[in-house]
Amino acid sequence: MCRSALAFFTAAFVCLQNCRPGPAPFLRAAWVLLVVLGLGQSEDNRCTSSNAASCTKCLALGPECGWCAQEDFISGGLRSERCDIISNLISKGCSTDSIEYPSVHVIPSENEINTQVTPGEVLIQLRPEAEANFMLKIHPLKKYPVDLYYLVDVSASMHNNIEKLNSVGNDLSRKMAYFSRDFRLGFGSYVDKTVSPYISIHPERIHNQCSDYNLDCMPPHGYIHVLSLTENITEFEKAVHRQKISGNIDTPEGGFDAMLQAAVCESHIGWRKEAKRLLLVMTDQTSHLALDSKLAGIVVPNDGNCHLKNNIYVRSTSMEHPSLGQLSEKLIDNNINVIFAVQGKQFHWYKDLLPLLPGTIAGEIESKAANLNNLVIDAYQKLISEVKVQVENQVKGVYFNITAICPDGTRKPGTDGCGNVTSNDEVLFNVTVKMRKCDVTGGKSYAIIKPIGFNETTKIHIHRNCSCQCDDGRGSKRKCVDEIFLDAKCFQCNENKCHFDEAQFPSETCKSHKDQPVCSGRGVCVCGKCLCHKVKFGKVYGKYCEKDDFSCPYHHGNLCAGHGECEAGRCQCFSGWEGDRCQCPSASAQHCVNQKGQVCSGRGTCVCGRCECTDPGSIGRFCEHCPTCHTACSENWNCVQCLHPHNLSQAILDRCKTSCALMEQHYMEQTSECFSSPSYLRIFFIIFIVTFLIGLLKVLIIRQVILQWNSNKIKSSADYRVSASKKDKLILQSVCTRAVTYRREKPEEIKMDISKLNAHETFRISLYMSQMTGLNKC
């Protein structure tokens, strides 16, 4: 009884302070009764046990605590006695008008402009540990305008599916007439990043990746926006008919890159604010994820902005693929529902991604995309029958609990939402907002409850009531007021009703330039100031949300080397640092100065304390050596001679006194190396002598080889004659026997010119004749 009664009468007390006269006497009497019954006592009274010595500290203890600001309350007592539950303060003699007890307010906006999501704006006052509740209603329309954008993978394997698109327009338009009063189509194509190892960079294949298949393909591309959303179905079919296929090397494609651009490039695509936005992604392969780009040396994170120039994605080769979290955020922010139309075994890969990408559906297309139209119709019906919400722009220290109350009476978490919702149904969401403690920065902020796929939201302005409206008790008492919102110039309030006045603060005040988007496209304009979006992969900040801590290059694992801030994708270096990554100390240029005080000898630039020579002929630590760079000597030779006047004619000496007198010191500094350069004549003679000696050495070696070869040949001939002589002597000893001879006619003489025989032949003949003589003797 005590707890419930205390809660009832505490609420009644709040009404005493704010309501018009009427039931006040009854409520005051009720408070007296409560005090008499002693219902205000509590065994675990944290208001008194914490010894809070100020009103602010007292209110932070809990929603049941109040502070007595009455000047003569407990005179001479401890200040901490002023903090207690309301019933105890009244029993101690504190008047109700002197009790600080901020109440919780939930004030819907009067000027309701939303048609599907109500209320569109809510103003809530919270104090520590207090809760506030309100009901959010969502009523789907019967027939939405529909924008359907085809984003097609045009790699070679999708050739048959692209042909099917030629006949999609009219048939799909007729079927969608049952669900939409206004239907438009658009078209875009993608392949992959146009760098190795994703495509072939061979000169013969760079412009035609399909040359191995004898097909005429268009050059590969990251993403091309072909046709903006249009009601002209014939124009859509012509655009599809003109589309050629392309190709790449690796299996995954650059689909997520193209999806993000199609989502954020609102003006290029032609997305309408009032339309249901559908992005149909046709593919037969998986998509690259964030960090895959590092294979190609691309390390700059995707900034999530539109980079279409002449309808071509121009940052494809310089920024990474987006992460799933980043892609999901951009799809939700731009109210995009995605339909994955996948052919082949990769369908399950996309199906597994659905929990990570709210508002997406995956369908499997048949061969040649025969069921594409039916797939789109079924997916659209499923999308409009699901109602889910999520909280964006979470407020520090404030927590939301959302419960969906479905048309069939079931209750589900808000993130799960309700299914099978028709246009005649209304889905309710019970939203509970609680603040644990006051943020150290205080002030006002807001959160957004966004139904997935809807173009309307509910903005919740939260006021942290962490301080007291009255004096702390030591001094003059000032009047306590409960009109806490009157101090916010951007709100207009009257008798518990407030609404946000946007007319006083146009969005132009939140643009860094008139051509730039509001808050750089990364925040919202509230009261003439940018409130930056909260993203999962870093912090967005700055007057126009132009800065972040994640999209600039890193050095040794630190953004901008830890020596600068990231602004619009570029490092803005702190004082004393320079370089594209702020990795170089500004004083590092001193390490590039030579003895003459010149930076890199005037032939290079200083990068992080090291000279990078710009003249290809320059070498050395300071680019000081350059044999081909003596232009100063040749241009100023007439005056350079004056530095060494020996053996000069009188005419030249006179010219030195007139033309070069004023420039003598300058020439001494600039051309001092002219006379220290090496003698070209000496170099010529050295080269000539070395060349001559090398040639002479070669001749001697060749002569020695020839002589050695001839000597070996003569020696072999002599050895042969000796061995032949020994052999003939052995024969002579074996043939000396008596032999019978027969008479015969005298043989015919053979005439031979012995002078024409060589030594060997002469020797053989002599040997033969001696043998014949020996036979006759025998």
Side-chain angles (χ1 to χ4, degrees):
M1 173 184 174
C2 294
R3 286 290 183 185
S4 59
L6 179 62
F8 171 76
F9 286 109
T10 301
F13 170 75
V14 174
C15 189
L16 279 175
Q17 293 182 309
N18 301 290
C19 298
R20 294 185 179 92
F26 166 76
L27 293 176
R28 291 182 187 276
W31 267 110
V32 174
L33 176 62
L34 178 63
V35 174
V36 172
L37 294 176
L39 298 177
Q41 300 300 325
S42 175
E43 296 179 357
D44 52 349
N45 188 350
R46 56 180 172 178
C47 304
T48 56
S49 60
S50 298
N51 296 320
S54 68
C55 181
T56 300
K57 292 181 179 180
C58 177
L59 298 184
L61 296 175
E64 73 277 13
C65 298
W67 178 268
C68 181
Q70 186 172 313
E71 184 177 356
D72 57 353
F73 181 68
I74 55 171
S75 179
L78 298 174
R79 287 179 59 83
S80 60
E81 295 184 34
R82 293 180 177 272
C83 182
D84 206 338
I85 57 178
I86 295 177
S87 59
N88 290 348
L89 292 176
I90 293 178
S91 66
K92 294 177 183 178
C94 184
S95 65
T96 56
D97 293 337
S98 300
I99 296 178
E100 284 276 3
Y101 186 80
S103 57
V104 174
H105 286 272
V106 178
I107 308 174
S109 173
E110 271 190 331
N111 302 329
E112 190 58 67
I113 59 174
N114 285 0
T115 58
Q116 304 173 71
V117 182
T118 56
E121 209 160 9
V122 178
L123 202 60
I124 297 179
Q125 173 196 351
L126 287 175
R127 57 176 292 182
E129 298 296 331
E131 291 184 353
N133 291 81
F134 69 94
M135 297 299 294
L136 176 68
K137 299 179 182 180
I138 298 180
H139 184 80
L141 298 178
K142 290 185 177 181
K143 286 190 175 183
Y144 290 95
V146 175
D147 289 343
L148 175 60
Y149 188 80
Y150 281 85
L151 184 60
V152 182
D153 171 9
V154 294
S155 56
S157 59
M158 290 288 291
H159 178 66
N160 293 332
N161 295 327
I162 296 173
E163 290 182 348
K164 174 64 178 176
L165 285 178
N166 292 328
S167 59
V168 160
N170 284 314
D171 184 39
L172 183 59
S173 180
R174 287 193 299 270
K175 292 182 177 180
M176 286 296 295
Y178 293 100
F179 307 98
S180 174
R181 66 177 184 271
D182 187 1
F183 181 61
R184 301 196 307 170
L185 288 172
F187 180 70
S189 66
Y190 72 90
V191 183
D192 210 338
K193 293 187 180 295
T194 55
V195 291
S196 179
Y198 307 122
I199 68 166
S200 173
I201 58 175
H202 191 277
E204 296 182 359
R205 296 191 60 189
I206 189 68
H207 297 295
N208 184 6
Q209 299 285 312
C210 311
S211 57
D212 292 347
Y213 303 97
N214 296 321
L215 296 175
D216 182 20
C217 290
M218 69 181 296
H221 53 275
Y223 164 59
I224 295 178
H225 168 54
V226 180
L227 178 67
S228 297
L229 292 163
T230 177
E231 298 175 352
N232 191 334
I233 305 301
T234 302
E235 186 178 356
F236 171 80
E237 292 179 342
K238 287 181 179 179
V240 175
H241 181 72
R242 291 192 298 265
Q243 182 63 47
K244 289 185 177 182
I245 62 172
S246 185
N248 60 339
I249 294 179
D250 64 337
T251 299
E253 317 292 4
F256 289 170
D257 241 356
M259 287 175 62
L260 190 141
Q261 290 300 304
V264 300
C265 297
E266 185 174 2
S267 60
H268 294 79
I269 306 300
W271 296 116
R272 293 175 292 178
K273 182 179 180 181
E274 70 277 9
K276 204 76 169 178
R277 302 176 178 183
L278 303 180
L279 179 62
L280 176 66
V281 181
M282 286 184 60
T283 184
D284 61 350
Q285 296 296 343
T286 60
S287 180
H288 283 294
L289 301 173
L291 304 183
D292 285 0
S293 311
K294 286 181 169 53
L295 292 172
I298 302 173
V299 297
V300 177
N302 197 304
D303 61 6
N305 294 328
C306 179
H307 296 288
L308 288 185
K309 186 176 183 180
N310 297 325
N311 292 330
I312 298 176
Y313 178 35
V314 295
R315 296 293 301 274
S316 174
T317 58
S318 59
M319 285 198 313
E320 287 188 326
H321 296 280
S323 65
L324 280 173
Q326 185 180 23
L327 179 61
S328 174
E329 181 183 1
K330 294 302 178 181
L331 292 174
I332 293 174
D333 288 347
N334 292 277
N335 309 315
I336 305 293
N337 289 113
V338 177
I339 303 174
F340 288 116
V342 187
Q343 183 179 37
K345 58 184 180 181
Q346 303 300 344
F347 165 72
H348 296 285
W349 188 85
Y350 285 94
K351 190 175 180 180
D352 293 339
L353 294 180
L354 299 186
L356 304 176
L357 299 172
T360 60
I361 289 179
E364 190 170 5
I365 55 177
E366 300 171 358
S367 177
K368 297 186 178 180
N371 65 330
L372 182 59
N373 284 349
N374 292 332
L375 187 150
V376 173
I377 297 296
D378 293 342
Y380 177 72
Q381 287 181 299
K382 186 176 181 181
L383 285 171
I384 62 175
S385 67
E386 292 181 345
V387 179
K388 303 177 182 179
V389 299
Q390 74 172 28
V391 179
E392 293 185 350
N393 195 50
Q394 288 276 6
V395 181
K396 185 177 180 181
V398 177
Y399 301 90
F400 289 81
N401 184 23
I402 303 176
T403 302
I405 305 174
C406 301
D408 59 1
T410 59
R411 293 175 176 263
K412 298 179 180 179
T415 53
D416 294 341
C418 302
N420 300 320
V421 178
T422 67
S423 58
N424 297 322
D425 295 329
E426 185 176 69
V427 182
L428 301 178
F429 290 87
N430 183 18
V431 181
T432 301
V433 186
K434 183 174 183 178
M435 183 174 70
R436 297 291 185 189
K437 57 182 179 180
C438 284
D439 189 8
V440 292
T441 59
K444 304 175 181 67
S445 56
Y446 77 97
I448 291 177
I449 297 180
K450 182 174 183 60
I452 305 299
F454 286 75
N455 55 16
E456 296 179 355
T457 62
T458 295
K459 184 181 292 185
I460 305 173
H461 298 274
I462 297 174
H463 178 87
R464 297 183 180 90
N465 198 353
C466 300
S467 59
C468 296
Q469 300 296 316
C470 303
D471 197 21
D472 267 349
R474 297 288 189 182
S476 61
K477 176 73 172 62
R478 61 181 176 84
K479 183 180 178 182
C480 296
V481 295
D482 193 47
E483 298 172 325
I484 60 169
F485 301 106
L486 294 178
D487 61 341
K489 296 181 181 179
C490 52
F491 291 98
Q492 291 184 353
C493 305
N494 52 15
E495 294 188 359
N496 294 336
K497 292 183 179 180
C498 300
H499 67 274
F500 179 57
D501 187 13
E502 296 184 0
Q504 298 185 41
F505 301 93
S507 60
E508 296 298 323
T509 59
C510 295
K511 295 182 179 181
S512 60
H513 190 269
K514 64 179 181 179
D515 296 331
Q516 295 294 321
V518 174
C519 299
S520 305
R522 304 197 291 182
V524 293
C525 187
V526 178
C527 296
K529 295 182 179 180
C530 283
L531 185 63
C532 304
H533 292 320
K534 186 176 181 181
V535 295
K536 298 178 180 179
F537 39 84
K539 178 183 178 182
V540 179
Y541 61 102
K543 182 178 179 181
Y544 303 106
C545 301
E546 74 279 10
K547 300 179 181 181
D548 61 58
D549 60 358
F550 53 85
S551 64
C552 285
Y554 285 71
H555 184 71
H556 295 319
N558 295 318
L559 187 80
C560 299
H563 304 135
E565 290 185 336
C566 185
E567 182 175 343
R570 291 187 176 183
C571 288
Q572 302 296 327
C573 303
F574 298 144
S575 177
W577 295 92
E578 60 186 11
D580 61 338
R581 291 172 172 82
C582 301
Q583 74 276 25
C584 306
S586 299
S588 61
Q590 298 177 358
H591 300 290
C592 300
V593 179
N594 61 13
Q595 295 180 349
K596 300 178 182 178
Q598 299 171 314
V599 177
C600 299
S601 304
R603 302 185 184 117
T605 57
C606 186
V607 179
C608 287
R610 299 183 64 182
C611 286
E612 291 187 358
C613 303
T614 54
D615 193 309
S618 302
I619 57 174
R621 177 184 174 186
F622 302 107
C623 306
E624 68 274 19
H625 302 297
C626 185
T628 61
C629 297
H630 298 304
T631 56
C633 296
S634 58
E635 292 176 358
N636 305 304
W637 180 253
N638 291 334
C639 291
V640 170
Q641 297 179 87
C642 301
L643 302 178
H644 296 266
H646 304 292
N647 300 324
L648 295 180
S649 63
Q650 187 61 39
I652 295 177
L653 293 175
D654 294 340
R655 184 176 60 195
C656 291
K657 295 178 180 179
T658 57
S659 302
C660 304
L662 297 177
M663 304 178 66
E664 182 176 352
Q665 181 64 32
H666 172 73
Y667 288 135
M668 289 181 65
E669 294 177 357
Q670 299 295 327
T671 62
S672 60
E673 60 182 16
C674 295
F675 293 96
S676 63
S677 60
S679 172
Y680 293 110
L681 184 62
R682 186 190 312 164
I683 294 174
F684 171 77
F685 279 114
I686 292 175
I687 295 175
F688 175 78
I689 292 172
V690 171
T691 305
F692 175 78
L693 292 177
I694 292 174
L696 181 62
L697 181 61
K698 287 183 177 180
V699 171
L700 293 176
I701 293 174
I702 293 172
R703 180 177 179 278
Q704 185 64 28
V705 170
I706 294 174
L707 292 176
Q708 185 67 29
W709 182 79
N710 289 333
S711 174
N712 293 338
K713 185 175 181 182
I714 295 173
K715 183 178 180 181
S716 62
S717 298
D719 292 341
Y720 176 77
R721 289 196 296 270
V722 172
S723 62
S725 176
K726 292 180 179 180
K727 182 178 179 180
D728 293 340
K729 289 181 181 180
L730 293 175
I731 296 174
L732 291 174
Q733 294 175 2
S734 61
V735 298
C736 189
T737 59
R738 175 70 63 175
V740 179
T741 60
Y742 297 92
R743 183 181 179 88
R744 62 177 179 176
E745 295 294 333
K746 184 178 180 180
E748 184 180 355
E749 293 182 358
I750 299 176
K751 296 181 180 181
M752 182 180 298
D753 189 356
I754 298 176
S755 63
K756 295 181 179 181
L757 301 178
N758 57 31
H760 183 67
E761 291 173 338
T762 304
F763 174 76
R764 296 292 294 174
I765 294 173
S766 300
L767 182 61
Y768 175 76
M769 294 301 294
S770 64
Q771 288 179 343
M772 295 301 296
T773 303
L775 291 172
N776 292 331
K777 290 181 180 180
C778 294

